[in-house]
Amino acid sequence: MALSVCGPVSTDRQGRELIDHGTPLFPVACYHDNIRKKSVPWHWHDELEILVIETGTARVSVNGADYIAKQGEGFFINSGALHGIWNKGAEPCYLQSVVFHPRLVGGSVDSILWQKYLEPLLSDPCRSCVHFTRGQEWEKAASKAIQAAWEFCVSETAGFEFEVREQLSKLIFLLSQNCPAAERKPSEKTMRDGERIKIMLQYIQEHYNEELILAKIAESAAVSENECLRCFRSMIGSTPIQYVKQVRIQKAADLLLSTNRKISDIGAECGFQEMSYFAKTFRELKGCTPGEFRRKMAGSIEQMHGEKSSCMRLFRNDIPG
């Protein structure tokens, strides 16, 4: 299957990602991302996701919890968990990630593998995310299993499908043995907040280029404006309007890199009626003006393809212990 290119995240009305990861015959895909160039916006999917920070530092947020992860640390993100990833610090952050359907490990729902190992994990809201800090031996083993699964996916050597499934199975077993189900479950309010925020985030994704005010965002989830503010701050640590700015600037950055359109036209399409405000907001979030961003990132698509073809040669070494 080789390395998949991670494009803009496409979601449905509840924020569920619509991208197919892998194929029906082998439902797994691996990605190699430079988070400094393009962060991973808030989204969720039915598949499980595992990742390792290859270089740099990242901020990983899952269901309202923030984690700062450095080189060699890894994550397990459960099915249905709302998450996003951003670069942390001045240095670029690269990560290796694998997204796979749980049936690749568990088989059918009536198998012992599914019932004993997958179902308890998938149905536990307290295990929406596990951060492997490498402080314990099992965490080191988990990070190595993630990297090994990623490398086998990219290599496509004979029988790589068996090797990938073996590494993913090893990871699920490590989780089952070292991350038991918590006795205390999240409150109904927390779980309700999670569903509401998914609806409101998707409403913003669909209407980012229109005039968006707090009342409209709250109405999309049938909540009051105060409840909307509380929900955003609780789940993603931002206000609704701040999130709107982030979405608009990311959409603009995508257009700056993928088209030759005038900067003013891009700003207007992304909801900015005044060019000065567009440039100011872009600088606040990206550290440079739209024009500077386009010039600095010129050739980034070609570089991405170069990274895709040479990633195995450059990053074959094991994660440092």
Side-chain angles (χ1 to χ4, degrees), residues 41 53 64 67 90 100-101 106 138 140 152 225 229 250 257 282:
I53 307 301
Y67 307 86
F100 65 99
H101 196 282
W138 80 268
K140 295 179 182 178
F152 283 121
E225 294 182 25
L229 282 168
Q250 188 57 59
L257 293 180
F282 199 98

Side-chain angles (χ1 to χ4, degrees), residues 187-247:
S187 66
E188 289 186 11
K189 185 175 184 179
T190 298
M191 298 177 71
R192 186 171 61 248
D193 283 351
E195 294 307 310
R196 287 173 172 174
I197 197 71
K198 289 177 181 178
I199 295 172
M200 290 187 283
L201 293 186
Q202 184 58 21
Y203 178 81
I204 293 172
Q205 288 283 343
E206 292 177 349
H207 300 276
Y208 69 91
N209 57 350
E210 304 171 11
E211 181 182 1
L212 281 179
I213 58 175
L214 179 61
K216 289 183 177 180
I217 298 171
E219 184 181 0
S220 70
V223 298
S224 68
E225 294 182 25
N226 285 338
E227 185 68 7
C228 173
L229 282 168
R230 185 200 62 77
C231 191
F232 266 79
R233 287 171 177 154
S234 172
M235 295 301 296
I236 67 174
S238 172
T239 68
I241 302 307
Q242 286 172 336
Y243 181 77
V244 170
K245 286 183 181 180
Q246 293 168 4
V247 170

Side-chain angles (χ1 to χ4, degrees), residues 107-148:
S108 63
V109 295
D110 57 351
S111 75
I112 185 63
L113 297 175
W114 185 281
Q115 295 182 11
K116 186 174 181 179
Y117 300 104
L118 267 301
E119 178 58 30
L121 184 63
L122 295 170
S123 61
D124 186 359
C126 292
R127 289 187 285 183
S128 60
C129 175
V130 178
H131 180 193
F132 307 121
T133 63
R134 298 177 61 80
Q136 302 181 53
E137 288 303 316
W138 80 268
E139 291 180 307
K140 295 179 182 178
S143 292
K144 288 187 176 181
I146 295 172
Q147 189 190 32

Side-chain angles (χ1 to χ4, degrees), residues 10 27 73 88 91 112 186 192 203-204 263 275 308:
S10 175
E73 297 182 14
K88 181 73 173 178
E91 296 300 317
I112 185 63
R192 186 171 61 248
Y203 178 81
I204 293 172
I263 292 175
M275 183 62 190
K308 177 178 176 180

Side-chain angles (χ1 to χ4, degrees), residues 1 21-29 47 99-104 168:
M1 68 168 51
H21 300 284
T23 68
L25 292 177
F26 194 56
V28 57
E47 295 85 357
V99 182
F100 65 99
H101 196 282
R103 73 171 180 272
L104 185 63
L168 296 179

Side-chain angles (χ1 to χ4, degrees), residues 14-15 18 76 165 206 219 234 252 294 312:
Q14 282 70 47
L18 297 176
F76 164 82
R165 188 173 62 177
E206 292 177 349
E219 184 181 0
S234 172
R294 174 176 268 173
M312 288 304 295

